[in-house]
Amino acid sequence: MRANGLVIAIDGPAGVGKSTVGKLVASRLGYSFISTGKMYRALAWKALELGVSLEDDGALVALARAARWAFPKGAGPEADVSLDGRVLVLELAEERVSRASSAIARFAGVRLFMKDMQRQAGLEGGVVMEGRDIGTNVFPDAELKVYLDASPEARARRREGQLKLQGLPANYAEILDFIIKRDAQDSGRENNPLRKADDAHYLDSTAMPREKVVDAIVALFGAARK
Ligand code: DC
């Protein structure tokens, strides 16, 4: 048993609601929440800022190693990502950063750096960690693994709704196209592609309200703790 509780790994494709659901689960359990995608995004942002090539694994690893990473406690259950003393929030949501993060996530060296850092962050347990390879690669020994899925159409519809709520332009066809391309990139790469771990619970949230997904994971937690 880990000092602070279980490690709960949530993996799944882009736009499936892993962060929203993961944060709600963490709040219900008094756990912390870590989005590993933000770590990839932070490194991508730094590379873009400094003009480091997104095609050079060695240079990206050197950049990651030289940076001072910290994960200070944020307002809710989620830790912030701070690089060299700068807390990154809005920067990580930029479209160019999103695209660059998926590109650098292909590389074996970058992934190994991230895996070590993520294991360090979650080793004591009491954590919900969300990403693409948590159950398969980062914490193959997680006490609870969930693979959250939804059809690309349902994910695109949700994203369209979120953007419209924020008063931002939203084009369903473009969003769907983006989601399908991102799925192909994340699942098709050679190093730790997105896939369900054999011992992960599969949850298809296409027709499931968010609260029901949270309830289902909390119920799985109750069973995993026994
Ligand atoms: O979840 P996200 O969209 O913030 O992740 C950004 C990119 O990082 C995503 O395209 C894939 C990559 N990623 C990954 O390869 N492995 C993870 N554990 C998390 C994210």
Side-chain angles (χ1 to χ4, degrees):
M1 186 51 184
R2 304 170 197 272
N4 299 329
L6 313 191
V7 170
I8 303 178
I10 304 182
D11 291 300
V16 76
K18 299 185 295 295
S19 278
T20 312
V21 163
K23 271 185 248 180
L24 290 168
V25 169
S27 292
R28 289 258 290 263
L29 303 179
Y31 274 26
S32 58
F33 172 80
I34 296 175
S35 155
T36 58
K38 287 199 177 163
M39 300 180 184
Y40 285 93
R41 285 171 185 258
L43 181 59
W45 174 81
K46 190 90 183 170
L48 290 171
E49 284 298 296
L50 298 182
V52 170
S53 165
L54 302 177
E55 298 297 323
D56 186 341
D57 192 15
L60 290 163
V61 171
L63 181 66
R65 286 218 185 100
R68 199 156 34 83
W69 295 80
F71 307 102
K73 219 187 136 8
E78 181 172 15
D80 284 326
V81 178
S82 157
L83 258 195
D84 296 325
R86 173 167 173 169
V87 174
L88 302 171
V89 180
L90 292 179
E91 295 89 338
L92 304 188
E94 289 172 27
E95 189 52 44
R96 64 183 187 122
V97 172
S98 175
R99 230 182 323 233
S101 67
S102 187
I104 66 164
R106 286 173 298 153
F107 294 121
V110 168
R111 301 206 66 85
L112 192 59
F113 175 89
M114 292 294 171
K115 175 183 175 175
D116 287 346
M117 189 162 68
Q118 290 158 12
R119 273 199 75 83
Q120 204 58 41
L123 218 46
E124 303 272 276
V127 67
V128 177
M129 193 174 279
E130 159 287 292
R132 304 292 192 290
D133 65 338
I134 310 307
T136 53
N137 180 47
V138 178
F139 276 105
D141 52 342
E143 289 77 22
L144 174 60
K145 300 180 186 179
V146 174
Y147 188 91
L148 193 57
D149 208 357
S151 71
E153 292 77 12
R155 286 182 277 141
R157 236 175 286 119
R158 275 185 214 154
R159 182 87 189 114
E160 184 191 20
Q162 286 164 355
L163 289 170
K164 282 192 172 153
L165 263 183
Q166 294 167 21
L168 297 168
N171 178 310
Y172 173 79
E174 272 174 24
I175 297 169
L176 181 61
D177 183 58
F178 176 82
I179 281 180
I180 289 170
K181 285 199 180 115
R182 176 58 55 88
D183 283 359
Q185 186 153 2
D186 291 346
S187 309
R189 69 170 174 239
E190 194 181 330
N191 297 308
N192 318 122
L194 169 66
R195 70 169 180 83
K196 177 189 162 302
D198 292 339
D199 54 350
H201 299 271
Y202 182 83
L203 274 182
D204 185 346
S205 70
T206 301
M208 237 173 140
R210 207 137 274 181
E211 262 317 307
K212 287 262 181 283
V213 178
V214 174
D215 287 345
I217 298 176
V218 171
L220 289 169
F221 167 83
R225 204 173 38 163
K226 288 198 183 115

